[in-house]
């Protein structure tokens, strides 16, 4: 095993242990050594956060530990962003994204945003805890091709339906394509709330966003 693989394999443990500084040091070393930012995220960060979730679920971790691990993961995203932004730059479309009302989880949304930006999309990030009014205002202000919603809680995923309903009530539904994602979301749920597409991960979000733009152009 190469020395690169050895230190990369330490990254998930550092995230799980909530070692913010250690995670940052190794992630910076990896990126400087030419490790692909997308690989760093999908192969090391995402599985580590799944393990943090498992530890929380079985009572070994409390919210405070989840939060510190999230900060360690956030450090990787901060470092990875400029590397991902070196992707294509032809204007692909405008996407407004947010995590829905009542939900503070933003790591997944931030990864999706970074990959979309790296693929040439202009992304307007509304942040977390975003309800219908803020989406409506953002559609008026930014005239996006797509609005994207993320939810990580089974208690907040239904807000997606409320937002889509509000967009329809405002007469804006034909103006935008709607993309949804997040751990509890499924294709069946996306269909039920009337979204145009569901993406299980960030790479799929980029493919889907491209397809939705094509559909929008030809409609
Ligand atoms: Co929370 N939390 N959390 N948490 N947390 C989960 C989601 C949970 C599954 C943990 C568990 O029990 N196993 C559980 C939800 C259970 C449920 O709803 N059934 C849970 C809970 C219960 C809670 C609290 C209620 C805990 C409490 O207070 N008692 C609380 C709620 C706070 C709130 O939001 N109102 C809470 C709080 C937190 C922290 C603040 C401590 C922290 C979040 C910090 C932050 O995000 N800045 C946190 C964390 C870190 C987690 C886990 C451990 C990790 C989430 C994560 O970042 N995953 C999570 C366990 C888990 O997910 N297994 C858990 C990594 C990320 C890359 O994946 O977000 O799925 P994900 O994103 C993926 C895809 O889903 C997709 O692409 C991404 C990249 O591949 N995707 C999209 C996501 N959004 C998309 C949007 C798209 C397209 C694709 O289009 C727009």
């Amino acid at each position: 095993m190469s020395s690169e693989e050895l230190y990369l394999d330490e990254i998930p443990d550092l995230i799980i242990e909530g070692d913010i500084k250690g995670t940052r040091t190794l992630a910076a070393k990896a990126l400087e050594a030419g490790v692909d930012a997308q690989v760093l995220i999908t192969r090391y960060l995402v599985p580590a956060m799944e393990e943090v979730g498992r530890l929380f679920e079985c009572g070994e971790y409390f919210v405070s530990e989840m939060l510190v691990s999230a900060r360690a993961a956030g450090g990787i995203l901060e470092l990875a962003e400029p590397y991902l932004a070196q992707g294509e730059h032809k204007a692909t479309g405008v996407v407004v994204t947010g995590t829905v009302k009542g939900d503070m989880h933003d790591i997944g949304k931030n990864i999706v945003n970074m990959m979309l930006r790296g693929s040439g999309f202009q992304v307007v990030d509304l942040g977390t805890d975003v309800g219908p009014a803020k989406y409506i205002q953002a559609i008026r202000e930014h005239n996006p091709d797509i609005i994207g919603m993320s939810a990580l809680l089974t208690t907040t995923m239904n807000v997606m339906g409320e937002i889509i309903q509000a967009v329809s009530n405002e007469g804006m539904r034909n103006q935008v394509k709607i993309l949804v994602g997040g751990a509890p979301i499924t294709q069946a749920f996306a269909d039920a709330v009337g979204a145009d597409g569901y993406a299980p991960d960030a790479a799929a979000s980029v493919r889907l966003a491209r397809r939705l733009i094509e559909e929008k152009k030809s409609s």
Side-chain angles (χ1 to χ4, degrees):
M1 195 183 274
S2 71
S3 61
E4 185 181 272
E5 278 172 85
L6 275 178
Y7 77 74
L8 280 172
D9 284 343
E10 284 176 40
I11 292 180
D13 287 339
L14 292 172
I15 297 175
I16 294 162
E17 287 159 17
D19 184 340
I20 297 172
K21 204 169 157 216
T23 305
R24 227 187 145 85
T25 305
L26 285 199
K29 187 174 161 185
L31 291 164
E32 276 160 27
V35 172
D36 187 315
Q38 203 169 325
V39 169
L40 190 61
I41 291 169
T42 51
R43 205 176 293 165
Y44 300 94
L45 183 155
V46 172
M49 294 314 285
E50 272 162 22
E51 176 60 9
V52 172
R54 194 193 63 77
L55 290 167
F56 176 73
E57 215 162 10
C58 71
E60 251 185 78
Y61 268 21
F62 295 99
V63 173
S64 50
E65 278 101 357
M66 272 206 293
L67 197 53
V68 186
S69 291
R71 290 207 181 115
I76 296 189
L77 296 190
E78 224 179 277
L79 292 169
E81 179 140 38
Y83 290 86
L84 287 171
Q86 285 166 8
E88 297 168 35
H89 283 291
K90 65 178 169 50
T92 319
V94 179
V95 190
V96 162
T97 64
T99 302
V100 299
K101 190 136 203 76
D103 203 324
M104 308 313 288
H105 297 85
D106 64 358
I107 296 175
K109 165 186 68 64
N110 293 344
I111 295 174
V112 169
N113 286 349
M114 282 166 49
M115 302 254 184
L116 286 171
R117 285 191 183 115
S119 308
F121 285 90
Q122 184 194 327
V123 178
V124 179
D125 183 3
L126 301 179
T128 57
D129 197 22
V130 186
K134 226 171 162 185
Y135 271 103
I136 303 292
Q137 192 192 329
I139 295 172
R140 289 211 174 94
E141 206 174 313
H142 303 285
N143 191 23
D145 300 289
I146 300 173
I147 63 169
M149 295 181 248
S150 178
L152 263 284
L153 298 171
T154 46
T155 50
T156 58
M157 58 199 272
N158 285 323
V159 177
M160 289 180 170
E162 291 169 26
I163 293 168
I164 296 175
Q165 189 58 54
V167 172
S168 297
N169 293 348
E170 292 293 322
M172 295 168 158
R173 186 63 187 89
N174 293 331
Q175 228 175 293
V176 288
K177 292 286 181 185
I178 300 182
L179 162 62
V180 294
I185 310 302
T186 58
Q187 183 63 56
F189 177 81
D191 293 341
V193 292
D196 296 303
Y198 154 71
D201 57 42
S205 305
V206 173
R207 287 193 296 274
L208 183 56
R210 286 199 176 118
R211 203 190 77 207
L212 293 176
I213 295 278
E214 286 311 312
E215 280 177 23
K216 194 166 178 261
K217 276 190 200 150
S218 57
S219 65

